[in-house]
Amino acid sequence: MSIPTPSRTLPTLHNLGSTVDPNIDVQAVVSDWFAKFTKAIGLKDVPAIVDLILDNGFWRDMLALTWDFRTFEGKDAVSKFLQGQLIVFDPQPDSFSLQRDLVQLQRPYEDIAWIQAFFKFDTNVGHASGVFRLVPLPDRSWKAHVVYTNLEDLKGFPESTGRLRNFQSDRGEWASKREREKEFLDQEPSVIIVGGGQSGLDVAARLKMLGVNALVVERNQRIGDNWRKRYAALCLHDPVWYDHMPYLPFPPSWPVYTPAMKLADWLESYAHSMELNVWTSATVVSIEKETGDSGKHWSVHVEREDGRKRVFKVDHVVLALGIGGGLPRNPNIPGQDEFKGQILHSTEHESTTDHVGKKVVVVGSCTSAHDICADYVNHGVDVAMVQRGPTYIMSTKEGMPRQMALYWEGGPPTDVADRVNASYPAHVAKLVHQRVTKDIAEADKELLDGLRRVGFKLTFGEDGSGFFRLAFNKAGGYYFDVGASQLLIDGKIKLKSDGPIKKFTPNGLLFEDGSTLDADVVVFATGYGDSRNASFDLIKNTDLHDKVRQIWGMDDEGEICGSYREIGKPNEEGKAIAGLWCIMGNLALCRFHSKHVALQIKAYQENIFGVRYSSGY
């Protein structure tokens, strides 16, 4: 029987029927709550723990207590979860410690007040961290609206950083050793990582620091080519403080918004500096379920550009193939064979200078479509955008400082910001984003009104939550404006948004309303397909295809369906296809969750992986 979902509202002072004393002693409030919390956990007293949390509160866990990514909403769901999982807490009461220097009363809005605090604790196999946010009640007591727990390290298996780095001096053997390591002449890898973009490199670095031998197989000639070979105008729309990679943050002089070509070179230098084992110009031809007695899960067939072939038998395969596996989504529009011009997907588009003097139509209205259209205008090319559905627009000037307040100049250290960000369950984050989206829209009013005047169709996302749900469910549907919106308003980018495409004609596109657009070039900026399809191309055991779970998109709890965890669907015994993983997303998501992937793999390798909590699925 499913547990009913409580009504979702932000814990405003109005909803709580409470006020906040401006002279409140936040340290005393937090100490009192935390003492009761740790005592109740030590006694395994579930009712006492639940009584410290709002009836409609949340507990989000990442691996620490569930070996999974789970969010429990409401006292009934939290109670059921704790009744089964309290056993994994380390029984020693001194394993809990409050980080008093991070206790803070926050007022994100006039009608919201909460005290945010961090703590550390141990489980039976690991060291973990936690975040809680307390809100005031009318009787002057405080309860948690959110509790977040996160696995940080495994006991006995720390990362080889800082004081645990290699202290041995090299006597001229480093280069030859590295060559043997990269070629795996002396030992086989335990993990094959398919793809050498930021996600694959992040996991490889995390595994290396945990002493797990991994090989990254990258089909391009150079690391970074997945960015280097894209359209020349591509630039990250996320700020630099959000995009740091593990162990090697960007220099303080790095631009706020990174050009794709610059990022490509950084990824290449990152792989070299972190001494990651990477084979470029290499292709994973197939991944097959191992049926022999080797004790390994997978046979991975790799072919290099010079014809060399090698079959690895490994425990784990990590698919780091990018959003949609890099497979473009091309609309099935009739009449393409009749069209006399050129048809490209944005993944094939390189330079606007190739089309000088031609008429170009770009189908799509998300980030790549805007970037490509703006680049065409800047090179004097006649370009029109075909908008097929509404798009969320915010300017980087007004939107980014509001959306990315945690990741901005003067903000908290990246590891602290990551944990604060993760401590917002998706259903809470949606409520917060509704307010932030409204604030941004008011600041962007002139821009948005201008877009409406020219017929651009706007959306404010699911229930007004802006880009948040669009990103995690669709990986698209939005554009962070860096100039293309004004080009649309000024008519420099022509716009067609009043009807669907019916078919291609020899000279362009015919729409359902009978109107036409002439074109010499049509660029589909229509995103990528289902991420599972790329995995199906590699996994040759076709009977396993229906056992691969959805990878991107949110589940009912608000967690990403498959990325950062094993991607096999659990069977009746709760077990998945062993050792098959996926990681994808922007630089921030890959930075944070690459450690989760590495910790799970390391736990498997050391035979300390527990049982995934499955109740509620």
Side-chain angles (χ1 to χ4, degrees):
M1 184 176 70
S2 62
I3 296 173
T5 300
S7 59
R8 293 173 188 148
T9 59
L10 283 174
T12 63
L13 296 176
H14 173 76
N15 289 336
L16 296 168
S18 186
T19 59
V20 178
D21 182 348
N23 299 314
I24 187 75
D25 185 343
V26 295
Q27 291 288 350
V29 170
V30 166
S31 295
D32 178 66
W33 186 92
F34 193 64
K36 294 174 182 176
F37 179 70
T38 56
K39 179 181 178 181
I41 288 177
L43 295 172
K44 305 293 190 287
D45 188 345
V46 172
I49 300 170
V50 173
D51 189 53
L52 295 168
I53 302 171
L54 290 179
D55 288 351
N56 62 345
F58 294 79
W59 190 311
R60 187 183 196 190
D61 181 71
M62 291 183 175
L63 304 183
L65 308 179
T66 60
W67 285 110
D68 207 344
F69 297 78
R70 298 297 302 272
T71 294
F72 306 99
E73 180 180 359
K75 65 177 183 179
D76 293 339
V78 171
S79 178
K80 183 178 180 181
F81 147 65
L82 290 174
Q83 286 169 2
Q85 298 305 105
L86 277 182
I87 193 172
V88 306
F89 276 103
D90 188 302
Q92 301 301 317
D94 59 1
S95 71
F96 282 87
S97 62
L98 185 65
Q99 295 178 265
R100 297 186 179 278
D101 58 320
L102 295 176
V103 173
Q104 187 180 38
L105 174 65
Q106 297 179 333
R107 300 295 299 264
Y109 286 91
E110 184 64 29
D111 63 338
I112 295 177
W114 52 48
I115 301 174
Q116 179 175 277
F118 290 68
F119 65 101
K120 296 180 180 179
F121 66 100
D122 286 348
T123 70
N124 51 4
V125 299
H127 304 297
S129 68
V131 178
F132 58 88
R133 275 185 288 278
L134 307 180
V135 296
L137 300 183
D139 63 359
R140 294 185 178 275
S141 66
W142 293 72
K143 288 191 177 184
H145 178 241
V146 168
V147 177
Y148 166 69
T149 45
N150 180 61
L151 183 64
E152 297 287 347
D153 294 291
L154 300 171
K155 290 179 178 178
F157 305 103
E159 292 184 312
S160 299
T161 61
R163 290 175 295 176
L164 298 179
R165 74 179 80 207
N166 182 7
F167 275 79
Q168 295 180 350
S169 58
D170 178 77
R171 302 299 181 187
E173 299 177 346
W174 175 82
S176 59
K177 282 183 177 180
R178 278 296 297 137
E179 191 61 29
R180 295 189 70 83
E181 287 174 3
K182 286 191 292 184
E183 291 299 316
F184 289 91
L185 298 179
D186 302 311
Q187 60 179 325
E188 295 281 286
S190 298
V191 183
I192 294 288
I193 300 169
V194 188
Q198 67 264 16
S199 58
L201 298 181
D202 285 354
V203 172
R206 299 287 195 185
L207 289 170
K208 184 179 181 70
M209 295 301 102
L210 288 171
V212 178
N213 211 2
L215 168 63
V216 178
V217 180
E218 170 55 48
R219 64 186 177 186
N220 284 308
Q221 186 177 10
R222 296 170 60 189
I223 287 294
D225 276 353
N226 60 318
W227 290 94
R228 194 178 287 112
K229 290 184 175 181
R230 296 176 70 183
Y231 56 91
L234 180 59
C235 185
L236 298 191
H237 291 214
D238 293 328
V240 61
W241 308 280
Y242 184 61
D243 287 340
H244 292 303
M245 295 180 70
Y247 314 112
L248 282 179
F250 294 115
S253 60
W254 200 264
V256 173
Y257 300 107
T258 308
M261 304 305 155
K262 186 175 179 67
L263 178 62
D265 290 346
W266 177 263
L267 294 178
E268 191 170 48
S269 66
Y270 182 88
H272 177 74
S273 297
M274 293 299 300
E275 297 186 9
L276 305 181
N277 300 322
V278 178
W279 286 5
T280 54
S281 299
T283 303
V284 171
V285 177
S286 67
I287 301 168
E288 298 180 40
K289 195 80 171 66
E290 180 60 24
T291 58
D293 57 2
S294 67
K296 304 296 183 179
H297 296 304
W298 302 97
S299 291
V300 182
H301 298 241
V302 180
E303 185 170 336
R304 304 174 86 166
E305 190 176 47
D306 60 8
R308 285 180 291 169
K309 299 178 182 179
R310 192 158 168 185
V311 178
F312 294 101
K313 297 184 184 299
V314 298
D315 301 313
H316 303 274
V317 176
V318 180
L319 301 177
L321 304 172
I323 293 291
L327 298 178
R329 180 193 293 120
N330 284 306
N332 184 21
I333 298 174
Q336 294 189 34
D337 292 342
E338 300 176 22
F339 181 54
K340 296 178 181 179
Q342 182 182 16
I343 300 174
L344 298 170
H345 189 269
S346 60
T347 55
E348 303 167 297
H349 170 70
E350 294 181 4
S351 174
T352 56
T353 56
D354 296 338
H355 304 138
V356 171
K358 296 182 179 181
K359 289 183 178 292
V360 178
V361 171
V362 176
V363 178
S365 56
C366 298
T367 298
S368 60
H370 280 83
D371 285 348
I372 291 170
C373 285
D375 196 30
Y376 275 124
V377 170
N378 292 336
H379 286 85
V381 176
D382 185 330
V383 62
M385 175 188 290
V386 175
Q387 185 186 26
R388 301 189 301 161
T391 310
Y392 173 65
I393 303 291
M394 77 174 196
S395 69
T396 55
K397 177 184 176 182
E398 299 295 344
M400 280 303 171
R402 291 173 169 87
Q403 292 279 15
M404 299 291 182
L406 274 172
Y407 301 95
W408 209 256
E409 191 71 49
T414 305
D415 62 328
V416 173
D418 281 345
R419 280 142 190 83
V420 172
N421 189 44
S423 71
Y424 287 90
H427 300 314
V428 177
K430 177 182 176 180
L431 298 174
V432 174
H433 276 267
Q434 286 172 342
R435 289 196 169 199
V436 175
T437 298
K438 184 177 179 181
D439 292 344
I440 295 170
E442 290 175 356
D444 279 336
K445 184 178 185 305
E446 183 178 349
L447 178 76
L448 300 180
D449 285 346
L451 288 170
R452 292 187 183 98
R453 283 196 303 273
V454 297
F456 192 89
K457 293 182 289 189
L458 293 171
T459 179
F460 290 101
E462 181 182 312
D463 299 327
S465 62
F467 87 98
F468 172 66
R469 290 275 178 149
L470 294 170
F472 285 104
N473 277 323
K474 296 178 57 178
Y478 57 89
Y479 167 61
F480 300 156
D481 180 46
V482 290
S485 292
Q486 192 60 50
L487 296 176
L488 281 161
I489 294 168
D490 294 341
K492 295 178 180 178
I493 299 173
K494 299 172 186 176
L495 178 66
K496 175 66 176 175
S497 62
D498 55 359
I501 300 170
K502 183 175 183 179
K503 68 173 186 175
F504 275 86
T505 68
N507 300 315
L509 294 171
L510 172 66
F511 294 82
E512 293 286 354
D513 62 2
S515 62
T516 60
L517 268 180
D518 290 342
D520 301 303
V521 180
V522 174
V523 180
F524 287 130
T526 47
Y528 301 89
D530 188 333
S531 301
R532 289 177 298 180
N533 292 334
S535 68
F536 296 160
D537 288 345
L538 296 174
I539 301 170
K540 301 307 178 183
N541 308 77
T542 56
D543 59 311
L544 298 180
H545 289 184
D546 63 354
K547 296 180 173 63
V548 175
R549 71 167 82 189
Q550 180 182 343
I551 294 173
W552 200 248
M554 287 180 168
D555 62 22
D556 291 342
E557 294 179 357
E559 301 294 344
I560 296 298
C561 292
S563 197
Y564 325 127
R565 47 171 98 168
E566 286 179 294
I567 62 174
K569 295 177 183 176
N571 60 17
E572 291 78 8
E573 291 77 35
K575 297 179 181 178
I577 303 172
L580 186 63
W581 309 80
C582 182
I583 181 170
M584 63 177 63
N586 62 26
L587 276 86
L589 288 171
C590 293
R591 172 189 64 243
F592 184 52
H593 291 305
S594 58
K595 189 169 186 180
H596 291 128
V597 175
L599 287 172
Q600 290 175 88
I601 290 174
K602 180 66 173 178
Y604 269 122
Q605 295 302 96
E606 301 298 337
N607 294 314
I608 60 173
F609 195 97
V611 178
R612 295 192 194 277
Y613 180 77
S614 60
S615 180
Y617 277 154

Tab-separated table of all heavy atoms in Angstrom, residues 372-390:
chain	number	residue	atom	x	y	z
A	372	ILE	N	23.161	29.268	-32.108
A	372	ILE	CA	23.466	29.126	-33.532
A	372	ILE	C	22.874	30.292	-34.320
A	372	ILE	O	23.539	30.874	-35.200
A	372	ILE	CB	22.966	27.763	-34.050
A	372	ILE	CG1	23.806	26.633	-33.440
A	372	ILE	CG2	23.022	27.708	-35.573
A	372	ILE	CD1	23.241	25.239	-33.693
A	373	CYS	N	21.641	30.642	-34.009
A	373	CYS	CA	21.012	31.767	-34.705
A	373	CYS	C	21.790	33.063	-34.486
A	373	CYS	O	22.023	33.847	-35.427
A	373	CYS	CB	19.574	31.944	-34.235
A	373	CYS	SG	18.414	30.728	-34.889
A	374	ALA	N	22.186	33.319	-33.247
A	374	ALA	CA	22.944	34.540	-32.946
A	374	ALA	C	24.267	34.561	-33.700
A	374	ALA	O	24.693	35.612	-34.204
A	374	ALA	CB	23.188	34.646	-31.445
A	375	ASP	N	24.904	33.414	-33.791
A	375	ASP	CA	26.177	33.335	-34.508
A	375	ASP	C	25.988	33.614	-35.990
A	375	ASP	O	26.810	34.289	-36.632
A	375	ASP	CB	26.791	31.956	-34.284
A	375	ASP	CG	28.273	31.913	-34.651
A	375	ASP	OD1	28.952	32.955	-34.520
A	375	ASP	OD2	28.750	30.836	-35.057
A	376	TYR	N	24.893	33.110	-36.557
A	376	TYR	CA	24.607	33.409	-37.958
A	376	TYR	C	24.414	34.910	-38.158
A	376	TYR	O	24.954	35.509	-39.107
A	376	TYR	CB	23.347	32.655	-38.416
A	376	TYR	CG	23.595	31.240	-38.865
A	376	TYR	CD1	22.916	30.172	-38.278
A	376	TYR	CD2	24.483	30.960	-39.906
A	376	TYR	CE1	23.127	28.869	-38.690
A	376	TYR	CE2	24.703	29.657	-40.327
A	376	TYR	CZ	24.024	28.615	-39.716
A	376	TYR	OH	24.241	27.322	-40.138
A	377	VAL	N	23.660	35.551	-37.296
A	377	VAL	CA	23.445	36.991	-37.413
A	377	VAL	C	24.769	37.736	-37.340
A	377	VAL	O	25.035	38.668	-38.124
A	377	VAL	CB	22.488	37.490	-36.310
A	377	VAL	CG1	22.460	39.019	-36.269
A	377	VAL	CG2	21.088	36.952	-36.549
A	378	ASN	N	25.601	37.326	-36.415
A	378	ASN	CA	26.896	38.006	-36.244
A	378	ASN	C	27.805	37.849	-37.452
A	378	ASN	O	28.770	38.611	-37.595
A	378	ASN	CB	27.606	37.479	-34.989
A	378	ASN	CG	26.884	37.869	-33.715
A	378	ASN	OD1	26.146	38.854	-33.683
A	378	ASN	ND2	27.083	37.094	-32.654
A	379	HIS	N	27.512	36.883	-38.310
A	379	HIS	CA	28.302	36.688	-39.528
A	379	HIS	C	27.519	37.087	-40.777
A	379	HIS	O	27.880	36.710	-41.901
A	379	HIS	CB	28.765	35.227	-39.635
A	379	HIS	CG	29.866	34.879	-38.684
A	379	HIS	ND1	29.634	34.497	-37.378
A	379	HIS	CD2	31.220	34.881	-38.842
A	379	HIS	CE1	30.786	34.265	-36.778
A	379	HIS	NE2	31.760	34.490	-37.642
A	380	GLY	N	26.435	37.837	-40.574
A	380	GLY	CA	25.704	38.389	-41.714
A	380	GLY	C	24.877	37.395	-42.490
A	380	GLY	O	24.542	37.644	-43.657
A	381	VAL	N	24.520	36.277	-41.862
A	381	VAL	CA	23.747	35.246	-42.554
A	381	VAL	C	22.264	35.445	-42.266
A	381	VAL	O	21.853	35.708	-41.136
A	381	VAL	CB	24.191	33.839	-42.106
A	381	VAL	CG1	23.325	32.754	-42.761
A	381	VAL	CG2	25.665	33.612	-42.435
A	382	ASP	N	21.441	35.309	-43.297
A	382	ASP	CA	19.988	35.405	-43.183
A	382	ASP	C	19.474	34.157	-42.467
A	382	ASP	O	19.559	33.040	-42.989
A	382	ASP	CB	19.389	35.492	-44.592
A	382	ASP	CG	17.880	35.708	-44.582
A	382	ASP	OD1	17.213	35.262	-43.632
A	382	ASP	OD2	17.371	36.325	-45.528
A	383	VAL	N	18.930	34.322	-41.253
A	383	VAL	CA	18.540	33.159	-40.459
A	383	VAL	C	17.148	33.365	-39.869
A	383	VAL	O	16.762	34.486	-39.493
A	383	VAL	CB	19.557	32.870	-39.331
A	383	VAL	CG1	19.645	34.029	-38.343
A	383	VAL	CG2	19.228	31.568	-38.603
A	384	ALA	N	16.377	32.283	-39.819
A	384	ALA	CA	15.053	32.281	-39.193
A	384	ALA	C	14.983	31.131	-38.197
A	384	ALA	O	15.512	30.039	-38.446
A	384	ALA	CB	13.951	32.132	-40.240
A	385	MET	N	14.331	31.379	-37.068
A	385	MET	CA	14.109	30.342	-36.060
A	385	MET	C	12.673	29.847	-36.157
A	385	MET	O	11.745	30.641	-36.197
A	385	MET	CB	14.366	30.897	-34.650
A	385	MET	CG	14.046	29.914	-33.519
A	385	MET	SD	14.134	30.656	-31.864
A	385	MET	CE	15.894	30.908	-31.708
A	386	VAL	N	12.509	28.531	-36.174
A	386	VAL	CA	11.184	27.924	-36.116
A	386	VAL	C	10.979	27.405	-34.695
A	386	VAL	O	11.634	26.449	-34.266
A	386	VAL	CB	11.035	26.782	-37.134
A	386	VAL	CG1	9.680	26.089	-36.959
A	386	VAL	CG2	11.177	27.308	-38.556
A	387	GLN	N	10.084	28.061	-33.976
A	387	GLN	CA	9.795	27.662	-32.607
A	387	GLN	C	8.601	26.718	-32.605
A	387	GLN	O	7.498	27.083	-32.987
A	387	GLN	CB	9.505	28.882	-31.730
A	387	GLN	CG	9.303	28.531	-30.259
A	387	GLN	CD	8.883	29.712	-29.413
A	387	GLN	OE1	8.282	30.658	-29.913
A	387	GLN	NE2	9.189	29.669	-28.113
A	388	ARG	N	8.830	25.492	-32.140
A	388	ARG	CA	7.768	24.481	-32.176
A	388	ARG	C	6.987	24.398	-30.875
A	388	ARG	O	5.873	23.878	-30.849
A	388	ARG	CB	8.365	23.117	-32.516
A	388	ARG	CG	9.102	23.087	-33.857
A	388	ARG	CD	9.483	21.679	-34.235
A	388	ARG	NE	10.345	21.063	-33.225
A	388	ARG	CZ	10.534	19.753	-33.104
A	388	ARG	NH1	9.896	18.924	-33.921
A	388	ARG	NH2	11.337	19.273	-32.188
A	389	GLY	N	7.568	24.861	-29.779
A	389	GLY	CA	6.888	24.823	-28.492
A	389	GLY	C	7.390	25.945	-27.612
A	389	GLY	O	8.422	26.563	-27.886
A	390	PRO	N	6.681	26.269	-26.529
A	390	PRO	CA	7.088	27.373	-25.665
A	390	PRO	C	8.424	27.095	-24.984
A	390	PRO	O	8.793	25.944	-24.744
A	390	PRO	CB	5.943	27.472	-24.645
A	390	PRO	CG	5.310	26.118	-24.649
A	390	PRO	CD	5.448	25.603	-26.049
